Amino acid sequence: MVESSGQDIKGLMADMSERGIKYCIGAYVDIHGVQKGKVVPVDHLAHMAAGSERYTGYALDGLGQKPNEDELVSIPDLSHIVQLPWEPALAWIPADLSFKGKPYPLSTRVALKNQIDIARSMGFEFNLGIECEVFLLKQQADGSLVPSDPTDNLVKPCYDVQGFVNSFGWLNKVASCINDLGWDLYSFDHEDANGQFEFDFNYADALTTCDRLTFFRFMAKHYAQEEGLIATMMPKPFADKTGNGAHFNMSLADVKTGQNLFQCSPEEDPRGIGLTQLGYYFIGGILKHGRALCAAFAPTVNSYKRLVRRGAMSYFSWAPVFNSYGSNNRTNSVRVPAGGGRCESRNADGAVNPYLAAALVLAAGLEGIREKLDPGAPNEDNLYEISEQERAERGIEFLPQTLQEAVAAFQADPFVESVLGADLKAEFIRYKLEEWNSYHLSISPWEVERYASMF
């Protein structure tokens, strides 16, 4: 990653040309977090930075435009430039959308930057790490997907060394790319499902991390294609296997000193898990809006087939189903991992638009701080197994169980509009209800198999 904000753009262009870059991709995302953009020769980067590249917003999902409206422009963020390791002639640059000279409020990256500015005005820097879980699959002649390694078939393959080594060609390409870009990969492994892997790289400020997740998807898919395979962060590709999370690990730092304001020793924390009162207030805000936030963290029909206790699996799924928090207890949607100093939202999945979700969860946490919303005692037991009576007595709500339910919670919470504005909120609701209705009106093979001969 090239830090270029302190350079004049002509010097930047000259430096890029010297490094073999010929073309620049100005990449922004639609409402789903899917990349869009145009490409300019490197000697036209100054023009792109000045808004030369125009887009018909009506042609894209979730940008709120009609066919008669003026075009949007993309403004590349020149402090976050990535030269593609597999194609050095191309530079990938995350971009913000602008309309008539102003940041476009329906751009989710703009929405996140707005919340980051609010946090900084309160003296906070929002740090974020996202765990990248991904399946490496092979498409069969009938179109179905199976793990790329046919010997990766253990009932409990988590941390399996043989399965890891058998896919090392792809894993090494992805891991090397992460480190070559300076993201500091510190761990990767075979995850809990056959054909599933996880990459963990160092946290950064939230905008940088969201850019990195967006690029990670792009990069992981490319290296899979080189192997004749498919990499997917789809939340739940297989009913009988665990799904892909994209857990958000969050903390606030002092904007001046960089000190982690969530970190304290367990002895200084009355609840004993190494989190400051500020951190508890942040969690309180997340839980207050937890059901609404779930629509952004888990934004597809398929997401809610992951958020189950067991489903079609032979053992517990590890996925959260409750709007709750605890210490190092994975049955909560929000946990404080061992060592404290951060909180983790576990209902975020591989389909997340990271900018949208980060904007909302940061705003919720800041509200918790402003309103001093204490989340109460942490839940330490296995919430999958408590009775409904005990759950009700402890005030633990279920997270939404379908996309339709999640969108209803998102729509009903006034907080969402206060963060995103009426237009972006309405666009998300419109597209997600269309997705739900399209799914609901389809007839699945399961239905045909079950009912055609029954009646």
Side-chain angles (χ1 to χ4, degrees):
M1 184 168 291
V2 179
E3 296 297 331
S4 57
S5 57
Q7 304 178 39
D8 69 279
I9 196 162
K10 288 185 179 180
L12 173 63
M13 290 160 56
D15 176 68
M16 293 171 74
S17 294
E18 287 178 7
R19 291 187 290 114
I21 295 172
K22 295 181 178 180
Y23 309 102
C24 302
I25 305 168
Y28 58 91
V29 299
D30 65 10
I31 195 74
H32 311 295
V34 175
Q35 292 187 65
K36 307 292 180 180
K38 289 186 179 182
V39 182
V40 301
V42 68
D43 55 0
H44 283 268
L45 179 59
H47 301 150
M48 176 185 271
S52 67
E53 302 313 300
R54 301 173 68 84
Y55 301 86
T56 303
Y58 182 67
L60 301 162
D61 282 353
L63 295 180
Q65 285 206 314
K66 299 175 183 177
N68 60 301
E69 291 188 282
D70 199 0
E71 295 159 313
L72 302 166
V73 302
S74 65
I75 307 297
D77 185 340
L78 300 181
S79 65
H80 287 190
I81 300 174
V82 176
Q83 184 173 12
L84 295 194
W86 63 90
E87 182 46 83
L90 286 171
W92 179 90
I93 313 175
D96 299 322
L97 290 174
S98 178
F99 185 64
K100 296 184 177 180
K102 296 181 180 179
Y104 189 55
L106 276 75
S107 167
T108 52
R109 195 172 188 270
V110 168
L112 173 57
K113 291 171 76 172
N114 290 340
Q115 293 306 311
I116 289 171
D117 286 344
I118 291 171
R120 286 174 177 160
S121 74
M122 297 171 66
F124 306 132
E125 185 74 51
F126 182 37
N127 286 326
L128 174 64
I130 301 179
E131 302 168 33
C132 294
E133 295 180 351
V134 56
F135 277 89
L136 184 65
L137 305 175
K138 177 170 59 180
Q139 189 164 35
Q140 302 195 109
D142 63 359
S144 61
L145 296 174
V146 296
S148 60
D149 173 15
T151 69
D152 186 354
N153 55 13
L154 296 177
V155 174
K156 288 194 172 184
C158 197
Y159 313 127
D160 182 48
V161 172
Q162 187 64 60
F164 179 93
V165 172
N166 287 355
S167 295
F168 185 68
W170 174 77
L171 288 163
N172 184 46
K173 288 179 179 180
V174 175
S176 297
C177 183
I178 289 171
N179 269 337
D180 289 346
L181 293 173
W183 299 2
D184 187 16
L185 178 75
Y186 61 84
S187 178
F188 60 130
D189 62 73
H190 193 301
E191 256 301 309
D192 197 56
N194 308 109
Q196 186 187 35
F197 302 92
E198 179 176 324
F199 297 87
D200 297 317
F201 44 85
N202 201 18
Y203 72 88
D205 66 274
L207 191 67
T208 295
T209 294
C210 291
D211 289 341
R212 288 176 176 175
L213 176 67
T214 302
F215 186 83
F216 175 88
R217 287 175 174 149
F218 179 40
M219 175 262 289
K221 287 178 178 291
H222 170 80
Y223 286 129
Q225 288 171 350
E226 285 191 348
E227 305 277 329
L229 302 172
I230 293 170
T232 181
M233 294 182 76
M234 175 182 177
K236 186 80 167 177
F238 304 106
D240 62 345
K241 297 175 176 60
T242 49
N244 282 324
H247 304 153
F248 274 42
N249 290 268
M250 300 169 285
S251 63
L252 295 179
D254 185 287
V255 75
K256 294 181 179 178
T257 67
Q259 178 188 355
N260 182 352
L261 298 175
F262 285 8
Q263 185 74 63
C264 68
S265 70
E267 293 76 19
E268 296 171 339
D269 176 5
R271 286 167 250 210
I273 57 179
L275 199 69
T276 63
Q277 186 60 60
L278 189 82
Y280 286 113
Y281 289 152
F282 193 90
I283 290 174
I286 294 174
L287 296 182
K288 177 181 177 180
H289 300 291
R291 284 176 53 81
L293 290 173
C294 198
F297 277 135
T300 70
V301 164
N302 183 251
S303 298
Y304 295 86
K305 299 182 179 183
R306 170 181 168 263
L307 297 183
V308 294
R309 277 180 267 204
R310 191 187 300 265
M313 297 174 57
S314 60
Y315 55 97
F316 288 127
S317 69
W318 304 107
V321 295
F322 302 108
N323 185 38
S324 60
Y325 99 101
S327 58
N328 200 27
N329 175 0
R330 289 168 172 81
T331 65
N332 293 284
S333 60
V334 180
R335 74 167 182 139
V336 180
R342 59 188 164 102
C343 64
E344 174 191 59
S345 280
R346 296 179 51 76
N347 48 335
D349 69 32
V352 68
N353 176 338
Y355 307 103
L356 180 69
L360 286 163
V361 75
L362 172 57
L366 294 178
E367 181 180 303
I369 291 170
R370 283 191 295 265
E371 298 184 5
K372 298 184 177 180
L373 300 176
D374 192 282
N379 297 286
E380 306 288 6
D381 48 346
N382 184 350
L383 298 185
Y384 293 152
E385 295 185 327
I386 66 173
S387 69
E388 291 304 296
Q389 179 179 347
E390 184 176 358
R391 180 188 64 77
E393 288 172 352
R394 287 159 67 172
I396 299 174
E397 292 182 299
F398 278 102
L399 291 171
Q401 297 180 341
T402 66
L403 179 62
Q404 183 187 43
E405 187 182 345
V407 173
F410 184 93
Q411 186 169 22
D413 193 337
F415 156 83
V416 172
E417 186 167 325
S418 72
V419 176
L420 302 180
D423 292 338
L424 180 51
K425 174 187 175 183
E427 284 293 282
F428 183 85
I429 291 168
R430 181 164 75 90
Y431 276 89
K432 291 303 166 181
L433 287 181
E434 284 179 1
E435 181 177 338
W436 170 261
N437 289 332
S438 176
Y439 166 74
H440 185 62
L441 293 173
S442 67
I443 306 300
S444 68
W446 181 92
E447 293 170 275
V448 174
E449 180 180 350
R450 185 174 182 90
Y451 300 126
S453 61
M454 183 182 293
F455 302 108

